[in-house]
Amino acid sequence: MRRVSPHCMMRSATALRLLRPAARGALRSAGARSHAMLSTEAVQRISAVGILADVGFGCTKLGVGTACASPALVADGAHSLADVLVGAVSYGAYAAARAPPDEEHPYGHGKFEAGGSLVVGGALVATGAAAAANAATMATAAPDVMTLPAMTACAGVAALSIAGKEWLYRATLRAGERGRSDAIVANAHHHRSDAYASIAALGGIVGTYVLGVPWLDPLAAAGVAAVVAHQGVHICRDAVDQLLDASFDPARVEQLRDAVSETLGPEYVVERLRARKAGPGIVADLVLSVPAGLSASAAHQVGEHGAVALRRAASEAGVAVADVQVHLDPSDRQERDTCLAALPSTLEKRVTSRALRHPRVRGVAHCVVRYDNTKVLAKVDVILPDAMTLRAAHGVAGALRRSILRGVPELHEVDVDCELDERRARTSRRGVGRGRHTSCM
């Protein structure tokens, strides 16, 4: 039997530990892709089933309702046929909203969801108005009381529609929530409103036969119209809010903010978190407050950690994040007193040019401008001759400070550091290192 050395086993264990995070990431990515594919397939399947069912229910209701003189069933049939258009528009909006960003649409196509929902809502309102008009026409005609065969046929069709539409509502809602699609969810509620309409129609049909009151059927039709129109107005309102970039659910935004704050700790404050719906997900604006002296690269890392924490918390809450914009503010920033001087690069060039005018300055090693509350500060490192005494270097630094403050009036303070000319210092003073160093504030 082949024996494996302990060192080999240790190396294998180490390699496995190193591979585990990457493997977990790959598994998560593969799982996300698989979930997206399954969601898309479920939406496609239920959308096709819903369209076929609406065609069948609509034609049956219109035919039986017209033959039996039932305005409630006719109105319900018109509602079902309107669902055919609604189902097609809903799926079209779902597919269009998931198209990747392109040059003309760099922020993606998420608004197609809201547009599709708006069309769905408008179709419902129009269907409700048409059903109400038909009910009024039938009521003024004063139809005769239904016969038993007519009542049985109309009630049977209505009962079948109730069962079918309730099943479609549950299946479509489940697919829409898995696919995070407002348009598909709106279509699911459309199916539920159709079930309610069928219940009203069934009540009117049975009531007309049992009580012998002809106007109960048109009254039920008017009730159907009211339910359909109300559902359409609700869907339109939500769609308009999304098109106008209305804020995402404030309670859920606060939960996301708490999660980011907990991840970053007390050193970095979440000043503001805003979010709005964008198709299947949300777009978030995250403003963090970081220490004023933090380097740009360190502040960028803080922003990355904040964005990752936001995405993770949103994913755990079942919310997809399409994009996160992170803005970093220094912790001592005062909005009302912020001074918009020249750009830092422009000021640094002017400070460097001013320093190089001094006859004893051989070069500028480094220059940086920073903003401290309402003050603009500069730090410049100048290179002086290696033979210069400490007293002379201190005098040069003081003269440079005064010259720079006169030549660059936007600055409030200047820190001048003086260094030896390293090229000559290395040849004539090998054991000295960088030599003398002085500064003047």
Side-chain angles (χ1 to χ4, degrees):
M1 178 181 291
R2 182 179 179 182
R3 301 178 65 182
V4 181
S5 67
H7 295 290
C8 182
M9 293 177 65
M10 291 177 63
R11 287 196 299 270
S12 299
T14 303
L16 282 174
R17 284 196 298 270
L18 293 174
L19 285 173
R20 279 170 187 163
R24 284 196 297 267
L27 285 174
R28 282 195 296 267
S29 300
R33 288 193 296 270
S34 177
H35 175 78
M37 292 176 61
L38 289 174
S39 299
T40 301
E41 291 176 359
V43 169
Q44 291 175 340
R45 186 165 54 250
I46 196 61
S47 296
V49 171
I51 289 174
L52 292 176
D54 288 330
V55 171
F57 283 139
C59 293
T60 303
K61 291 175 187 177
L62 283 177
V64 175
T66 302
C68 299
S70 173
L73 197 59
V74 170
D76 200 12
H79 185 196
S80 294
L81 286 180
D83 284 352
V84 176
L85 173 63
V86 169
V89 170
S90 298
Y91 178 72
Y94 170 85
R98 279 147 186 80
D102 52 39
E103 292 184 0
E104 294 183 356
H105 308 90
Y107 297 101
H109 304 78
K111 298 272 185 177
F112 271 109
E113 285 273 7
S117 297
L118 190 61
V119 172
V120 170
L124 283 173
V125 173
T127 302
N134 182 68
T137 302
M138 296 294 287
T140 55
D144 297 331
V145 177
M146 277 188 179
T147 62
L148 179 60
M151 187 277 295
T152 303
C154 292
V157 171
L160 182 62
S161 175
I162 293 169
K165 281 296 185 175
E166 181 62 21
W167 179 85
L168 279 173
Y169 162 74
R170 295 174 184 272
T172 306
L173 181 64
R174 185 164 54 249
E177 289 177 345
R178 288 183 61 187
R180 296 189 178 101
S181 172
D182 288 343
I184 299 299
V185 170
N187 192 28
H189 289 290
H190 193 182
H191 288 312
R192 171 60 69 85
S193 71
D194 212 357
Y196 288 154
S198 296
I199 291 174
L202 179 61
I205 293 167
V206 174
T208 299
Y209 177 79
V210 172
L211 301 178
V213 182
W215 51 263
L216 279 180
D217 197 300
L219 181 63
V224 170
V227 170
V228 172
H230 177 267
Q231 188 70 34
V233 170
H234 178 74
I235 293 174
C236 285
R237 184 181 60 199
D238 290 345
V240 169
D241 283 343
Q242 185 174 337
L243 289 172
L244 296 178
D245 292 333
S247 177
F248 189 55
D249 182 8
R252 304 180 80 175
V253 171
E254 192 63 28
Q255 292 176 356
L256 297 178
R257 175 173 179 160
D258 292 342
V260 175
S261 298
E262 183 179 354
T263 299
L264 296 181
E267 296 87 356
Y268 312 109
V269 180
V270 180
E271 295 287 350
R272 184 173 68 248
L273 175 61
R274 298 183 301 184
R276 57 182 174 84
K277 283 284 292 178
I282 62 172
V283 173
D285 297 319
L286 178 63
V287 180
L288 301 176
S289 177
V290 299
L294 202 64
S295 67
S297 58
H300 176 74
Q301 280 298 314
V302 174
E304 288 294 312
H305 278 275
V308 170
L310 176 61
R311 290 182 181 275
R312 182 170 58 247
S315 178
E316 292 173 354
V319 179
V321 178
D323 189 31
V324 181
Q325 295 291 331
V326 181
H327 179 78
L328 302 172
D329 276 346
S331 56
D332 55 3
R333 180 171 178 241
Q334 295 181 359
E335 292 285 349
R336 62 175 182 272
D337 296 329
T338 299
C339 175
L340 288 178
L343 289 171
S345 57
T346 302
L347 292 178
E348 290 168 2
K349 291 178 181 178
R350 291 168 60 188
V351 170
T352 301
S353 175
R354 196 77 181 180
L356 291 174
R357 292 183 184 181
H358 195 285
R360 306 301 299 273
V361 175
R362 292 187 173 179
V364 174
H366 184 63
C367 179
V368 62
V369 171
R370 66 185 182 90
Y371 300 86
D372 184 6
N373 203 354
T374 58
K375 294 182 179 181
V376 184
L377 314 178
K379 183 179 182 299
V380 57
D381 297 344
V382 297
I383 302 173
L384 301 179
D386 65 294
M388 183 174 290
T389 64
L390 183 61
R391 182 186 297 273
H394 186 77
V396 170
L400 282 175
R401 179 180 180 277
R402 291 187 294 272
S403 174
I404 292 172
L405 287 176
R406 285 196 305 269
V408 189
E410 293 92 340
L411 299 178
H412 295 82
E413 295 181 16
V414 178
D415 178 13
V416 180
D417 285 355
C418 301
E419 301 178 3
L420 292 178
D421 188 343
E422 292 181 340
R423 291 171 300 179
R424 295 189 58 185
R426 280 196 297 267
T427 58
S428 60
R429 305 175 186 271
R430 288 189 177 274
V432 179
R434 293 200 62 163
R436 296 178 297 271
H437 180 94
T438 185
S439 65
C440 179
M441 292 291 293

